[in-house]
Amino acid sequence: MLNNWRKLGLGGTDRILAYADPAPADVLHIKQAVTLFGGVYLGFNVPQSAMDQNAAGLPWTVVPDDGGIVGGHAIWCPDYNPTYLYCITWGQRQALSWEFFLKYTDEAHALLSPDWINSSNFAPNGVDLAQLQADLQGVIS
């Protein structure tokens, strides 16, 4: 899906420049992706307990009986603190514990968006996008 998004865009527009896949079991990689790229796109297995916690307005945490996996889901996570990773899902902000993240996440993607480019050609975090694009030419097709 991300390769098509990069090549074709969403609905023919809104293409991403590139993406990288931080290790989904490495909290440091995820924190770095959020810091460097403004967020991380995660795929995870949804336990029934997350559905129940979401309905109650609670953070997603690991519980002894999670009720089983009810499906898969993808979420955008733009923020974190020592206790939680904060994501956008189902139209709202949702906290998930790092323990929950480690137990249920099976994929992670850092997205490089052309929307970062401004008059100075630097991303908000100081990454030189022109240089990064030049570097990426050798690895993406």
Side-chain angles (χ1 to χ4, degrees):
M1 192 272 307
L2 292 177
N3 223 14
N4 282 338
W5 190 358
R6 182 179 60 81
K7 291 179 180 181
L8 306 173
L10 297 176
T13 61
D14 297 321
R15 295 170 61 180
I16 56 175
L17 296 173
Y19 61 92
D21 295 338
D26 190 322
V27 170
L28 178 60
H29 283 186
I30 300 306
K31 289 178 178 179
Q32 289 171 333
V34 170
T35 300
L36 292 172
F37 297 98
V40 65
Y41 186 56
L42 300 179
F44 72 104
N45 294 302
V46 182
Q48 181 60 49
S49 60
M51 301 298 290
D52 298 340
Q53 290 166 337
N54 187 72
L58 299 171
W60 293 340
T61 59
V62 174
V63 296
D65 178 10
D66 68 9
I69 301 301
V70 297
H73 190 49
I75 53 179
W76 177 251
C77 303
D79 196 13
Y80 67 88
N81 67 27
T83 308
Y84 296 110
L85 182 60
Y86 293 96
C87 303
I88 308 300
T89 183
W90 298 311
Q92 64 188 16
R93 182 176 158 111
Q94 178 66 46
L96 56 134
S97 72
W98 287 106
E99 182 184 22
F100 180 95
F101 162 81
L102 288 169
K103 182 168 183 172
Y104 296 106
T105 300
D106 59 4
E107 61 181 295
H109 311 283
L111 310 179
L112 179 59
S113 169
D115 294 335
W116 277 8
I117 299 173
N118 59 31
S119 61
S120 67
N121 205 29
F122 284 86
N125 61 8
V127 172
D128 181 334
L129 291 179
Q131 183 61 54
L132 183 57
Q133 283 180 293
D135 294 343
L136 289 173
Q137 287 308 306
V139 295
I140 61 175
S141 57

